[in-house]
Amino acid sequence: MKTSHTMVEIFRTNVKNKKLAGKVLKALHLHLPAFKFNFDLDDCDRILRAQSNGCPVACREIIQIVRGYAVEISVWEEGH
């Protein structure tokens, strides 16, 4: 029996409102439909979470898509 592992990558962004977050999420879902995305705009780092089932999270593509909306984004590192 094969098991798939959920993989999550967390990014810090400068998205400040739900309207922009919605546009970014729509683009991410369109270009990377195998992943699940959500924002936590209440967090001080304006977290974007990307989740996949079994395959590595496409960090480079995610960053490229998000930057296309003039959003600052970086992979979140613990301790920052």
Side-chain angles (χ1 to χ4, degrees):
M1 185 163 81
K2 250 172 106 171
T3 60
S4 65
H5 299 293
T6 300
M7 300 181 79
V8 177
E9 191 66 65
I10 299 172
F11 302 88
R12 68 176 9 151
T13 75
N14 68 341
V15 173
K16 292 178 176 63
N17 62 65
K18 290 182 180 182
K19 184 176 180 182
L20 178 56
K23 288 180 182 181
V24 171
L25 289 174
K26 187 174 181 180
L28 289 168
H29 288 297
L30 180 68
H31 294 287
L32 299 166
F35 297 92
K36 294 179 184 176
F37 299 97
N38 66 32
F39 272 103
D40 182 353
L41 299 182
D42 295 327
D43 185 277
C44 64
D45 289 323
R46 311 284 196 292
I47 295 296
L48 169 65
R49 287 183 193 85
Q51 178 181 330
S52 72
N53 286 325
C55 61
V57 175
C59 293
R60 188 174 294 145
E61 289 89 343
I62 292 167
I63 289 171
Q64 184 177 5
I65 291 165
V66 174
R67 285 185 178 159
Y69 287 84
V71 169
E72 293 176 21
I73 181 171
S74 61
V75 175
W76 185 81
E77 296 177 25
E78 199 166 344
H80 285 135

